[in-house]
Amino acid sequence: MEDRYEVAVLGMGAMGAATLYQLAKAGVKAIGIDRHHPPHDQGSSHGDTRITRLSVGEGAAYLPIVRNSHRIWRELEVLSGESLFEQCGVLVMTSSADYDPNDQSDFTQRTLQLAKANGIEHEVLSAEQIRQRFPQFSPVLDTAVGYFEPSGGYVRPERCIAVQLQLAEARGATLLKGETVTQITSHEQGVTVITDQRTIHADKVVISAGMWSRDLLGEPFDRLLRVCRQKLFWFELEEGARFAPVSPTFIYYHGSGDEASNYGFPPLPGEGSLKVATEQYSEESSPDTLDRTISTAEARDMYDSHVRGKIAGVSARLVKSAVCAYTVTPDSHFIIDEHPTLKHTLVVSACSGHGFKHSAALGEALAQWCVQGSSELDLSAFSLKRFDGLLD
Ligand SMILES: Cc1cc2nc3c(=O)[nH]c(=O)nc-3n(C[C@H](O)[C@H](O)[C@H](O)COP(=O)(O)OP(=O)(O)OC[C@H]3O[C@@H](n4cnc5c(N)ncnc54)[C@H](O)[C@@H]3O)c2cc1C
């Protein structure tokens, strides 16, 4: 095997697989390295489904990225024959006794405002319309408000990764799986990557190591990134559960504060269960200490706090669970930038738990960055510079 490449991509999860595919498509001599065998269930890209939507309540800077991802997934579906993107619509709703329609920080309101400002097709639903269209959400308070976006839905993370890696390999990329990068050094001519099995030289490197990024990237990332454990639950549907024929993915605020919210997906064909989850940012973990099992008490607590009395037709019987991790920045936005001390090195993997929907487009942008020195998408909102004050 040759040991000199134009670009080495370190980590072949959501971001790395997308980047490697786009590099190979552009005719770049590229190599990908992963400590596991992607797609796998040890990082941040497993669990069958990821929400995607155009009106990204996290901010307007994300809109052009997710638009490009939707285009690329459709292209990948044609190339692979796989179904990757299910456009079942997304419902963002607040049904909470504390809801104040003038509260601009309410996520449903933010999503709505962004959609209006950017001409994204959507409907505003009253409580009565939510009840009629989506009877699985029950009871719904009379003050509830819903945002329905028909172009949203969900993507299949494991399939997206597998397809992009297969297509990358078919276009000449080299894939090393089960091999861990232990050291990266740079010099004027390029970058040297040392793994537990060999040394590789590359003109450029993209580091997409997910929750392992902190250790691999060193300063200042070790002071900026936190790994937060997240739990996924699949509860069995009751017999005769009343789900709308085409159910949307959903983000559901049912009380005040982020703890009183959940998100979930329509029951997948033939599975008879509903996937539902929450987010948490307060408890920190690490790749080595991450508890990957869901306890009976955690499942019971999830059902009692987020399903019982909120989503009808779902039993307390847990049929599947998973633990996954967010790599979170201080402001919960992405970091996509050149490494401040490693030359010829781009960093992408701190996506604060909302990166999958953008991954296909970020792969395209990073490949352009490697080839042309810049990307068509403006990624300046995600630069490291914004944390200068924090790092002084
Ligand atoms: C529970 C959960 C739910 C989510 N829901 C959504 C959602 O609905 N919508 C959405 O848009 N986003 C969502 N996200 C976020 C999204 O899934 C992530 O932002 C994205 O998948 C992260 O991709 P990544 O490539 O950064 O990391 P990963 O996919 O984890 O890839 C990192 C890769 O690097 C490899 N690696 C690490 N260190 C090394 C090393 N030293 N040497 C070699 N290889 C290495 C790992 O093995 C791994 O394969 C969710 C995340 C989680 C955890």
Side-chain angles (χ1 to χ4, degrees):
M1 198 187 74
E2 290 180 62
D3 68 354
R4 175 113 220 154
Y5 293 86
E6 286 172 84
V7 182
V9 179
L10 314 186
M12 296 190 286
M15 302 300 160
T19 307
L20 201 61
Y21 163 63
Q22 295 290 345
L23 286 166
K25 189 179 162 199
V28 174
K29 188 181 174 201
I31 184 168
I33 309 170
D34 202 290
R35 66 193 306 148
H36 294 293
H37 289 75
H40 59 77
D41 62 2
Q42 299 296 299
S44 304
S45 302
H46 57 281
D48 305 344
T49 45
R50 289 290 186 270
I51 297 178
T52 185
R53 58 196 194 281
L54 292 181
S55 188
V56 186
E58 287 85 6
Y62 295 95
L63 178 53
I65 315 179
V66 70
R67 270 196 206 283
N68 280 358
S69 283
H70 284 195
R71 165 184 53 81
I72 294 168
W73 285 318
R74 290 300 184 221
E75 289 168 10
L76 290 169
E77 284 180 331
V78 172
L79 287 172
S80 66
E82 290 276 359
S83 166
L84 304 176
F85 172 24
E86 197 62 48
Q87 215 163 354
C88 56
V90 63
L91 175 69
V92 183
M93 64 185 260
T94 302
S95 172
S96 156
D98 304 311
Y99 174 57
D100 169 4
N102 298 314
D103 176 7
Q104 294 305 309
S105 67
D106 175 77
F107 193 80
T108 307
Q109 284 299 340
R110 282 206 327 254
T111 306
L112 248 165
Q113 297 313 325
L114 193 74
K116 279 186 195 158
N118 291 282
I120 297 166
E121 185 188 349
H122 69 280
E123 291 172 67
V124 183
L125 303 183
S126 66
E128 196 43 41
Q129 288 168 316
I130 296 170
R131 289 180 195 124
Q132 277 173 13
R133 298 247 312 251
F134 308 116
Q136 63 266 40
F137 300 105
S138 175
V140 166
L141 299 180
D142 289 342
T143 52
V145 62
Y147 164 91
F148 180 74
E149 183 188 294
S151 50
Y154 64 87
V155 274
R156 301 286 213 146
E158 292 91 343
R159 282 189 203 166
C160 289
I161 291 172
V163 159
Q164 289 172 110
L165 291 181
Q166 279 158 18
L167 292 172
E169 199 164 26
R171 282 158 179 71
T174 302
L175 273 56
L176 301 180
K177 297 182 182 177
E179 188 159 333
T180 302
V181 176
T182 53
Q183 202 184 325
I184 309 163
T185 50
S186 67
H187 40 93
E188 284 310 318
Q189 290 73 38
V191 186
T192 302
V193 176
I194 299 178
T195 76
D196 51 5
Q197 296 176 40
R198 75 197 86 210
T199 298
I200 290 157
H201 303 283
D203 300 336
K204 288 194 174 133
V205 158
V206 175
I207 305 182
S208 43
M211 70 164 142
W212 292 266
S213 294
R214 252 174 82 137
D215 291 343
L216 212 51
L217 298 172
E219 263 282 312
F221 299 90
D222 49 357
R223 285 190 283 152
L224 293 174
L225 306 184
R226 296 188 312 126
V227 172
C228 295
R229 175 178 180 261
Q230 310 295 340
K231 299 169 277 191
L232 301 171
F233 303 85
W234 285 256
F235 290 106
E236 191 171 57
L237 297 184
E238 286 166 355
E239 231 174 278
R242 289 181 64 225
F243 276 78
V246 180
S247 288
T249 59
F250 60 89
I251 302 174
Y252 182 1
Y253 286 80
H254 53 76
S256 59
D258 284 343
E259 288 82 53
S261 68
N262 61 47
Y263 66 90
F265 299 83
L268 297 187
E271 292 199 351
S273 63
L274 183 89
K275 176 184 167 189
V276 60
T278 53
E279 297 189 306
Q280 73 82 21
Y281 295 90
S282 51
E283 282 172 39
E284 207 173 323
S285 189
S286 76
D288 297 334
T289 59
L290 188 71
D291 179 357
R292 293 179 182 279
T293 53
I294 296 282
S295 69
T296 309
E298 285 178 318
R300 196 182 312 119
D301 181 51
M302 177 69 189
Y303 188 81
D304 289 345
S305 309
H306 292 279
V307 181
R308 189 193 300 280
K310 294 175 183 68
I311 308 174
V314 181
S315 80
R317 211 178 87 73
L318 187 72
V319 293
K320 186 168 135 182
S321 63
V323 166
C324 200
Y326 286 0
T327 307
V328 182
T329 67
D331 61 5
S332 290
H333 290 292
F334 298 175
I335 295 176
I336 305 169
D337 207 342
E338 291 172 5
H339 194 286
T341 53
L342 287 171
K343 295 185 183 73
H344 318 294
T345 301
L346 299 173
V347 174
V348 61
S349 250
C351 290
S352 301
H354 52 107
F356 203 92
K357 67 181 79 57
H358 305 290
S359 58
L362 288 178
E364 186 180 58
L366 290 173
Q368 291 166 353
W369 204 337
C370 289
V371 175
Q372 307 155 16
S374 64
S375 61
E376 282 160 26
L377 280 176
D378 178 7
L379 300 176
S380 56
F382 310 115
S383 84
L384 250 186
K385 226 179 149 22
R386 69 186 193 273
F387 297 119
D388 279 355
L390 272 182
L391 294 167
D392 288 341

